[in-house]
């Protein structure tokens, strides 16, 4: 057991949000990590699961030394509590498993064991935030289709918009996901953010009949790079910087405006879905 500080009782509801993106390099890990710290600054307890197996980097972004990984938990060398890292604001982090390419590729009994361990720990928190890999691979679908809220991180670049459209298309047509939230990151102005959001929302609402809502936008801010270089989260170091304020606003909107309880909102539902999806990815052809 380590000393991860759970700041308050979560009143029995753990909200599960996955952060995802059509393409890599758009700021997904930066956003999810700082939204986690911002939620913690607002008095909420947060568990952050780094599920980007190929490119594990939440711990690096926060300058933390992983004591072990999900791989060690799988091998039975350590428990999940042993590998839990304590981050800024008291957030807890489950570092990804280097050496495990995809959770979906694990044997069913390994996957069940891991998910049960994560569920056991996650119920102590107000939020479980998941940093998924980019793209439309099987782990992306796996976590996004079970999470109560899918938060897409986009930029103003045409490639980000087309790749996010492709991701939403698969999640809506194959997995029945009909609601998405969007954060526009790394843009020069509100005008650019609005243009990007409008372009994406018009296309998906028209052609895919899904509902997208904006959680806000985060400006391109030189402080972000400084913080990444120093391995310190902007939400803890420079909360009053433009990007820091914007990320805090996103966190507030998540806590205030996203529906607290939805049919698929409960954490138990999330984990049950994941366990039942053992062969779902294969059936869907991923
Ligand atoms: N709002 C921003 N302003 C400036 N630079 C940013 C911003 N968001 C992200 N970046 C830069 O983009 C890089 C990639 O971000 P990262 O979160 O690792 O992307 P992803 O997880 O989507 O691959 C960061 O290291 C940072 O330098
Ligand atoms: Mg990343």
């Amino acid at each position: 057991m380590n000393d991860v500080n759970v700041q308050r009782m979560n009143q029995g509801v753990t909200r599960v949000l996955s952060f995802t993106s059509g393409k890599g390099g758009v700021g997904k890990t930066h956003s999810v990590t700082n939204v986690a710290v911002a939620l913690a600054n607002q008095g909420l307890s947060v568990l952050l699961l780094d599920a980007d197996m190929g490119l594990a980097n939440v711990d690096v972004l926060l300058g933390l030394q992983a004591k072990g990984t999900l791989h060690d938990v799988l091998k039975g060398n350590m428990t999940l509590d042993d590998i839990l890292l304590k981050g800024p604001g008291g957030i807890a982090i489950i570092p990804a498993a280097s050496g495990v390419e995809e959770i979906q590729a694990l044997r069913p009994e390994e996957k069940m064991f891991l998910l049960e361990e994560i569920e056991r720990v996650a119920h102590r928190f107000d939020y479980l935030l998941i940093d998924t890999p980019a793209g439309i691979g099987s782990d992306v679908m796996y976590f996004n289709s079970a999470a109560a809220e899918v938060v897409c991180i986009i930029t103003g670049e045409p490639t980000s918009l087309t790749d996010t459209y492709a991701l939403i298309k698969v999640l809506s047509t194959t997995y029945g996901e009909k609601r998405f939230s969007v954060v526009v990151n790394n843009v020069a102005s509100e005008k650019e953010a609005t243009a990007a959001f409008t372009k994406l929302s018009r296309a998906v609402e028209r052609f895919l009949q899904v509902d997208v809502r904006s959680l806000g936008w985060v400006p391109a801010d030189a402080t972000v790079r400084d913080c990444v270089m120093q391995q310190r989260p902007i939400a803890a170091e420079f909360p009053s910087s433009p990007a820091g304020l914007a990320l805090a606003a996103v966190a507030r909107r998540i806590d205030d405006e996203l529906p607290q309880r939805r049919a698929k909102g409960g954490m138990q539902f999330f984990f049950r879905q994941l366990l039942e999806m053992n062969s779902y990815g294969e059936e869907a052809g991923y």
Side-chain angles (χ1 to χ4, degrees), residues 17-23 26-28 31 130 132 135 140 144 149-155 160-161 163-169 171 177 179-185 197 200 204 210-217 250 254:
L17 285 81
S18 61
F19 281 62
T20 198
S21 66
K23 77 189 211 70
V26 298
K28 179 168 48 66
S31 305
I130 302 168
T132 77
V140 181
N144 286 337
E149 297 287 344
V150 179
V151 181
C152 299
I153 309 298
I154 68 171
T155 67
S160 164
L161 296 177
D163 291 352
T164 304
Y165 181 89
L167 169 69
I168 291 179
K169 183 173 180 183
L171 278 167
E177 194 63 48
R179 270 184 44 139
F180 298 84
S181 300
V182 172
V183 175
V184 190
N185 182 44
F197 177 76
L200 178 71
V204 297
V210 305
D211 173 43
V212 286
R213 74 153 74 198
S214 171
L215 288 175
W217 62 283
V250 169
I254 285 173

